[in-house]
């Protein structure tokens, strides 16, 4: 998952065998056990003729696009259909080609059609020579039957601190978003789930004429990969799951884990910053640094800090919790906020790079058409319909927000406050229980703000055939392709199929030398405090 915040001050930019093929046994839930309608669609997918064309005149000539036709409801294959937009860059060495490498950037709500282009800049030659790089927009996203809820910018704001006075308006907002999404998307909404996207992935596999697929998924894409491996274990070849989602915490728990992970990251930051008091002057001890920060928060709540024309409240500062996973950037951001507060005058802060996400290249067809709220709409569509464990009583959210703010002061109330899922209709089927033994490789930074280390450990525990590489001291969300110490292991696995004999830990360089893999800028749910 990716947190979804616009870049501003400390407001950090912090934002997946055929359909039950007869020869591919499944170890998933009873819902996967080969209903005849789903199995009957296999031959249709395999027989689809893909009309590959250059994606756009401005794109590289090697970058081709096509569509795969799939059922909206796999239990009713003769019913309404969706066109799933896919793309490819062919393997650079046909004589070495192993197959296809499907790519997903995360989300939910992340468009992946352009991934072959920017991943071809980051993946090593040995991987590109062996695989066709395959991108796709998941159902409901971008060019694949995009959803829209007709939401205003304000209605897309979803990181909301708990306050007794504003909780009734938060409940109204959540109910309004759910109502608009239901009204705007009709029968489509219950079927925009990870399980159905996994089925779409298998339709893509069949249409490409491949017996198996390899896969590289980031963030939410790790959950999508895990679900595919659960549903179609005989079709999963080499799977790399980068910055992993814990399948046991879908989905409210994965938002709450941001608060749980923020506290140790904040403690680490106070220690690191105290050791560099000569540079940052925020306190000589961790206790003093902590005091400086919370005084700043209280001060901003009383009198918002104005930076570049924006009013920054204490809640805004807390909402930027993701920055504390990167100690240097956090120290620089807090220093800038403190200077602005002390000056009492508007000033332009020097924004650390982590607060300015780089956008990947986009080309004509891949960038066009989807409504402005598509990222938000598709995010809620998956998060709410994937599971049936969202509480329905608003008072549950109130209670949890109060409790978790006391337990996790930085972000606990944000993570437990009410969402549109409280008022969402049921998805088409229950969530997937992930417990397969498909071989896979999990990559995890120790200090990842969006999928904190316990999340990666949970994914490793669920994926019983996996090995895990932990980057000790690693900061940032997204590893493979960044030049990390984990890259060599991932490349070896993708090119030879050899997993490490045991889990590995490697050491990250000093924070100033680290960089993150370039993933798409957040597309869903802009957020702000109050």
């Amino acid at each position: 998952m990716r947190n979804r915040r616009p870049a501003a001050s400390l407001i950090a930019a912090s934002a997946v065998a055929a359909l039950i093929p007869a020869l591919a046994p499944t170890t998933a839930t009873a819902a996967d056990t080969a209903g005849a309608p789903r199995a009957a669609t296999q031959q249709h997918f395999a027989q689809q003729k893909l009309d590959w064309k250059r994606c756009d005149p401005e794109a590289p000539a090697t970058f081709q696009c096509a569509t795969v036709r799939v059922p909206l409801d796999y239990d009713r294959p003769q019913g309404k259909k969706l066109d799933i937009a896919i793309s490819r860059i062919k393997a650079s060495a046909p004589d070495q080609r192993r197959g296809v490498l499907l790519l997903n950037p995360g989300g939910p709500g992340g468009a992946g059609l352009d991934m072959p282009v920017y991943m071809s800049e980051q993946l090593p030659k040995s991987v590109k020579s062996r695989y066709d790089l395959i991108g796709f927009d998941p159902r409901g996203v971008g060019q694949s039957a995009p959803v829209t809820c007709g939401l205003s910018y304000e209605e897309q704001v979803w990181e909301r601190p708990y306050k007794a006075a504003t909780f009734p308006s938060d409940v109204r907002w959540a109910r309004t978003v759910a109502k608009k999404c239901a009204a705007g998307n009709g029968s489509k909404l219950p079927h925009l789930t990870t399980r159905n996207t996994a089925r779409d992935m298998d339709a893509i596999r069949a249409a490409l004429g491949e017996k198996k697929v390899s896969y590289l998924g980031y963030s939410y894409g790790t959950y999508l990969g895990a679900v595919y491996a659960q549903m179609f274990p005989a079709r999963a070849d080499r799977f790399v799951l980068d910055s992993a989602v814990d399948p046991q915490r879908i989905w409210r728990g994965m938002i709450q884990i941001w608060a749980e992970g923020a506290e140790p990251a904040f403690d680490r930051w106070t220690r690191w910053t105290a050791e560099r008091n000569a540079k940052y002057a925020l306190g000589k001890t961790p206790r003093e640094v902590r005091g400086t920060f919370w005084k700043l928060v209280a001060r901003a709540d009383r009198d918002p800090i104005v930076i570049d024309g924006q009013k920054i409240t204490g809640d805004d500062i807390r909402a930027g919790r993701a920055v504390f996973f990167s100690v240097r950037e956090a120290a620089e951001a807090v220093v800038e906020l403190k200077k602005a507060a002390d000056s009492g005058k508007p000033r332009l802060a020097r924004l650390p790079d982590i607060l300015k996400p780089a956008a990947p290249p986009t080309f004509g067809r891949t960038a066009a058409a989807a409504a402005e709220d598509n990222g938000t709409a598709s995010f809620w569509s998956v998060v709410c319909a994937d599971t049936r464990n969202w509480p329905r009583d608003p008072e549950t959210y109130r209670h949890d927000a109060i409790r978790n703010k006391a337990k996790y002061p930085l972000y606990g109330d944000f993570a437990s406050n009410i969402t549109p899922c409280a008022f969402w209709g049921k998805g088409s089927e229950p969530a997937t229980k992930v417990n397969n033994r498909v071989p896979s490789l999990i990559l995890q930074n120790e200090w990842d703000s969006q999928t904190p280390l316990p999340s990666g450990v949970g994914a490793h525990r669920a994926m019983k055939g996996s090995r895990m590489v932990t980057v000790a001291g690693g900061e940032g969300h997204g590893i493979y392709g960044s030049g990390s110490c984990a890259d060599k292991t991932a490349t070896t696995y993708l090119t030879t199929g050899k997993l490490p004999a045991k889990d590995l830990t490697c050491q990250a360089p000093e924070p100033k030398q680290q960089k993150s893999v370039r993933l798409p800028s957040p597309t869903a749910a802009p957020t702000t405090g109050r």
Side-chain angles (χ1 to χ4, degrees):
M1 292 181 71
R2 289 168 298 156
N3 197 352
R4 289 142 170 82
R5 297 194 59 78
S9 179
L10 191 61
I11 308 176
S14 90
V16 211
L19 296 166
I20 309 300
L23 300 179
T26 175
T27 58
T29 65
D32 291 317
T33 54
R38 290 177 184 161
T41 60
Q42 159 64 8
Q43 187 174 2
H44 169 75
F45 290 140
Q47 292 177 346
Q48 288 190 68
K49 183 178 180 180
L50 300 182
D51 184 18
W52 290 104
K53 296 180 179 179
R54 187 170 180 171
C55 291
D56 187 85
E58 297 179 8
T62 55
F63 183 43
Q64 299 175 307
C65 288
T67 58
V68 173
R69 200 155 178 79
V70 302
L72 171 64
D73 181 351
Y74 279 89
D75 278 332
R76 295 173 175 80
Q78 303 307 317
K80 185 176 180 180
K81 303 295 192 297
L82 303 176
D83 286 334
I84 303 299
I86 67 172
S87 62
R88 73 177 179 188
I89 292 179
K90 289 185 177 181
S92 60
D95 58 327
Q96 300 178 30
R97 183 183 182 276
R98 177 176 179 81
V100 297
L101 182 66
L102 266 66
L103 305 167
N104 182 274
L113 202 59
D114 288 334
M115 279 194 81
V117 175
Y118 57 84
M119 289 308 298
S120 68
E121 300 174 0
Q122 300 181 79
L123 293 176
K125 182 179 179 180
S126 57
V127 171
K128 294 184 290 185
S129 66
R130 287 169 170 80
Y131 294 97
D132 296 349
L133 303 182
I134 305 296
F136 68 103
D137 283 350
R139 57 170 56 202
V141 177
Q143 299 300 308
S144 297
V147 293
T148 177
C149 300
L151 302 177
S152 67
Y153 181 89
E154 290 73 17
E155 288 171 331
Q156 295 181 66
V157 172
W158 71 280
E159 282 182 294
R160 294 167 178 251
Y162 173 79
K163 288 181 171 60
T166 58
F167 186 68
S169 67
D170 292 339
V171 173
R172 287 193 298 272
W173 159 79
R175 184 182 285 110
T176 296
V177 171
K179 184 177 180 179
K180 283 190 170 185
C181 289
N185 298 285
S187 61
K188 184 192 299 185
L189 218 53
H191 302 287
L192 300 181
T193 64
T194 300
R195 288 174 63 80
N196 278 329
T197 298
R199 294 182 179 111
D200 294 344
M201 284 173 55
D202 207 60
I204 293 170
R205 175 204 60 77
L208 292 173
E210 301 289 335
K211 293 182 178 180
K212 292 188 175 185
V213 293
S214 292
Y215 180 78
L216 171 59
Y218 295 88
S219 194
Y220 162 74
T222 65
Y223 179 61
L224 175 57
V227 170
Y228 182 91
Q230 188 72 31
M231 296 175 69
F232 308 106
R235 303 301 188 188
D237 193 7
R238 299 171 183 175
F239 271 44
V240 177
L241 309 180
D242 190 318
S243 308
V245 167
D246 183 350
Q248 300 301 316
R249 300 193 61 147
I250 302 304
W251 277 112
R252 192 178 185 220
M254 277 307 302
I255 296 176
Q256 290 174 323
I257 206 172
W258 292 345
E260 298 167 30
E263 294 300 323
F266 183 75
D267 289 343
R268 168 183 177 244
W269 172 74
T270 63
R271 294 191 298 270
W272 187 91
T273 304
E275 292 170 358
R276 293 158 180 80
N277 185 58
K279 179 175 182 179
Y280 298 112
L282 295 175
K284 297 178 181 179
T285 66
R287 183 176 181 178
E288 288 181 1
V289 173
R290 181 181 292 271
T292 298
F293 173 79
W294 285 110
K295 287 178 183 177
L296 183 64
V297 169
R299 182 175 174 182
D301 272 335
R302 293 191 305 269
D303 185 15
I305 303 166
V306 179
I307 298 182
D308 194 23
Q310 296 188 58
K311 290 185 177 181
I312 308 299
T313 68
D315 287 333
D316 289 322
I317 296 173
R318 290 196 300 121
R321 54 93 208 168
V323 77
F324 291 103
F325 289 80
S326 299
V327 288
R328 188 177 303 276
E329 287 83 355
E332 292 173 354
V334 173
V335 166
E336 289 297 325
L337 283 170
K338 190 171 183 298
K339 286 179 180 178
D342 291 343
S343 71
K345 298 178 181 180
R347 55 176 279 128
L348 178 63
R350 180 174 60 84
L351 298 179
D353 288 342
I354 195 173
L355 305 184
K356 297 184 265 187
T362 56
F363 305 99
R365 176 180 177 225
T366 63
E372 290 185 1
D373 74 337
N374 175 240
T376 305
S378 55
F379 174 80
W380 290 126
S381 296
V382 174
V383 167
C384 298
D386 250 3
T387 177
R388 296 174 180 175
N389 64 4
W390 285 96
R392 297 295 178 175
D393 183 359
E395 289 304 310
T396 300
Y397 295 89
R398 183 201 298 271
H399 174 270
D400 290 352
I402 293 171
R403 179 193 63 195
N404 287 335
K405 184 175 184 179
K407 191 174 183 179
Y408 309 113
L410 193 61
Y411 196 74
D413 55 326
F414 284 91
S416 292
N417 206 353
I418 196 163
T419 76
C421 298
F423 305 103
W424 210 265
K426 285 186 178 181
S428 55
E429 55 194 322
T432 303
K433 182 178 180 180
V434 175
N435 59 3
N436 63 76
R437 297 187 177 276
V438 172
S440 57
L441 182 65
I442 295 173
L443 308 181
Q444 187 68 40
N445 273 330
E446 181 181 10
W447 299 105
D448 184 323
S449 62
Q450 309 310 106
T451 53
L453 183 58
S455 177
V457 172
H460 181 31
R461 183 167 53 244
M463 298 288 288
K464 301 181 186 305
S466 66
R467 291 289 184 268
M468 182 169 174
V469 180
T470 303
V471 182
E475 298 180 347
H477 188 51
I479 299 172
Y480 189 41
S482 69
S484 163
C485 59
D487 278 16
K488 182 178 179 180
T489 304
T491 297
T492 297
Y493 172 53
L494 286 174
T495 55
T496 70
K498 184 178 180 180
L499 282 170
K502 60 181 180 180
D503 294 342
L504 302 176
T505 298
C506 64
Q507 185 65 46
E510 286 298 309
K512 66 179 180 180
Q513 298 173 335
Q514 294 185 49
K515 65 177 182 177
S516 294
V517 64
R518 185 176 64 177
L519 295 175
S521 299
T523 56
T527 57
T528 184
R530 294 188 178 176

